[in-house]
Amino acid sequence: MEIVWALAALALLGVVLLPILRRRRGVIEQVPPGHPDAADPAAYGFVPEEELDVRMPGPDKDLLDVLDLVQRTQDYRAAAQLLAGTEKEGELRWQRVQAFAGAAALELQQRPGGVHETPGGQWLRVWRAEAPKDPGAAAVQAEFLVQQAWRTSTPGTDEFRIIMEEARETCGQAALLAPGDPIPYIIELAVARGLGYSRPEFEQLWLKILDRAPHHMGAHLAALHYWCEKWHGSRELAMEFAQAAAARAPRGSLLAALPLFAVFEHLPEVNLVRGFYHSEVVTKAIHGALHAVHSARANDPVLAHVRHLLVFFLVRAERWGEAMQQLVHVDGHVGALPWTLSPDPAAEFAVHRALAVAGYEANGGSPATLQR
């Protein structure tokens, strides 16, 4: 079961899947599998690739237990109870709404239904029908529609527009059911991007979110896409948005990491500059993200997202020791950018992890020297 986090970005730069690496005078080279000089992530207690969890960026046992129960029994009540007990202004509620919607969307994709078969995700339809005044059900349904639009149709087509219009209407219903809840408006950010809201329309929507949850990292990540070059903005506008959010971030907020996401969104498809990942703009964004990680609460639900993106950049900047420090915290879960953009997130993560291990050992590191 894969949970899709609705965050779009440019494709990763090409790498060879699962290179086995060795060290010689500080140089990383490929060697055949089983070679005695091959870097071995297992020596650091890292999870085997086939056991990596692609559903979420980090652990959320309550969510996984409820998802398992709901999908096994097709009874929505545990999901309703979990969302009702999750702080509405917090990051965790947003992630759980995305998770429930993604699970229902994937079920429907796997079992579209037919004459003698009930379509997947039926529990969500029943939830919405039996609890029409439940704001959690409305929010999950709205996010489900957004994910369906991106999964099953092409932006600009009539089919895409129809699904997105339904999502917008459901967002409005969810907002009426819970006036102080930022989630319906955060979901609408994806609608705004897909339907091409004008800048005044988008900014009006954004102000509604700032009134309810001014430092919500998930909301800022969703809004960042609108300002990106590939949608309705530019590289400069996206970076300006990210830097402004980072500058006003309170102590302990992960918003200081937002410029790193802006850099990621505008990576060149082909990098011909050898020192790109050592450039000032990338280095500054990495440092901001590292500062955010070090000052954030250990249980911040977005922390794993930032750590995963740091692994990507730190490996490519050849900052092996720092990459290993991030891997210690996130290894085991790979449901986050940038891995989720790959057809095989676990394999993509494993590549970067193997590079980090090999680079770390090439520079004198070992399992004994890695601080945990």
Side-chain angles (χ1 to χ4, degrees):
M1 176 182 60
E2 177 186 2
I3 296 174
V4 176
W5 302 92
L7 297 171
L10 292 174
L12 295 176
L13 303 179
V15 291
V16 179
L17 289 180
L18 295 180
I20 308 298
L21 307 158
R22 71 174 176 183
R23 58 206 181 277
R24 181 195 295 173
R25 303 188 195 95
V27 177
I28 302 172
E29 300 176 350
Q30 293 182 338
V31 298
H35 191 284
D37 283 343
D40 183 11
Y44 295 81
F46 291 151
V47 175
E49 180 188 337
E50 62 273 14
E51 296 178 17
L52 292 170
D53 191 329
V54 301
R55 296 172 294 181
M56 294 186 298
D60 184 346
K61 187 175 186 303
D62 289 341
L63 173 62
L64 289 180
D65 288 346
V66 168
L67 272 172
D68 177 68
L69 177 63
V70 168
Q71 294 191 303
R72 181 162 38 84
T73 65
Q74 291 294 296
D75 187 334
Y76 68 84
R77 285 175 292 182
Q81 184 177 7
L82 182 65
L83 278 188
T86 306
E87 180 189 11
K88 64 183 180 181
E89 295 87 1
E91 306 281 354
L92 190 59
R93 181 179 172 84
W94 169 227
Q95 293 193 15
R96 287 174 171 177
V97 165
Q98 287 182 298
F100 286 129
L106 185 61
E107 279 187 47
L108 182 59
Q109 178 182 334
Q110 294 172 339
R111 300 194 312 277
V115 178
H116 302 294
E117 182 185 29
T118 301
Q122 182 67 17
W123 55 269
L124 176 54
R125 288 182 284 277
V126 174
W127 182 9
R128 189 79 173 99
E130 293 186 354
K133 294 186 178 181
D134 183 344
V140 174
Q141 176 69 14
E143 174 64 18
F144 168 83
L145 289 167
V146 166
Q147 293 193 27
Q148 278 296 96
W150 294 111
R151 279 172 180 265
T152 63
S153 55
T154 303
T157 63
D158 287 344
E159 180 185 8
F160 182 86
R161 180 184 56 79
I162 290 170
I163 300 174
M164 279 296 191
E165 289 287 2
E166 185 180 354
R168 175 159 61 180
E169 181 180 348
T170 309
C171 285
Q173 295 168 1
L176 289 174
L177 290 170
D181 189 350
I183 299 299
Y185 301 102
I186 297 174
I187 297 170
E188 192 179 348
L189 290 172
V191 176
R193 175 164 53 96
L195 293 182
Y197 282 22
S198 67
R199 289 185 184 176
E201 288 177 313
F202 184 86
E203 288 169 350
Q204 185 178 23
L205 171 61
W206 183 238
L207 285 175
K208 292 177 182 178
I209 295 171
L210 293 182
D211 285 343
R212 292 162 174 79
H215 307 300
H216 198 290
M217 181 68 170
H220 281 79
L221 288 171
L224 177 65
H225 294 303
Y226 179 91
W227 296 112
C228 285
E229 187 174 61
K230 62 181 176 288
W231 287 106
H232 308 292
S234 65
R235 183 189 305 267
E236 292 73 25
L237 285 171
M239 188 56 73
E240 180 182 323
F241 173 80
Q243 290 176 341
R248 66 173 181 267
R251 180 172 177 79
S253 168
L254 285 165
L255 284 175
L258 199 61
L260 189 65
F261 286 85
V263 171
F264 179 74
E265 293 292 340
H266 294 91
L267 287 177
E269 291 189 35
V270 178
N271 177 27
L272 301 178
V273 181
R274 179 176 175 80
F276 174 78
Y277 289 96
H278 300 276
S279 65
E280 182 179 357
V281 65
V282 174
T283 299
K284 186 176 180 180
I286 289 175
H287 287 170
L290 286 171
H291 172 75
V293 163
H294 292 152
S295 60
R297 304 187 325 271
N299 64 346
D300 191 311
V302 188
L303 185 56
H305 285 279
V306 179
R307 290 191 188 279
H308 279 289
L309 195 62
L310 273 170
V311 170
F312 172 86
F313 276 98
L314 290 169
V315 166
R316 288 168 182 247
E318 300 177 345
R319 296 167 64 165
W320 314 115
E322 291 168 293
M324 292 291 285
Q325 286 297 321
Q326 302 306 317
L327 283 167
V328 165
H329 292 283
V330 299
D331 188 73
H333 296 84
V334 296
L337 285 177
W339 326 121
T340 50
L341 297 178
S342 168
D344 190 342
E348 195 70 53
F349 175 82
V351 167
H352 286 74
R353 185 176 64 181
L355 285 167
V357 170
Y360 183 65
E361 293 183 355
N363 288 275
S366 69
T369 61
L370 182 62
Q371 295 182 353
R372 296 179 179 270

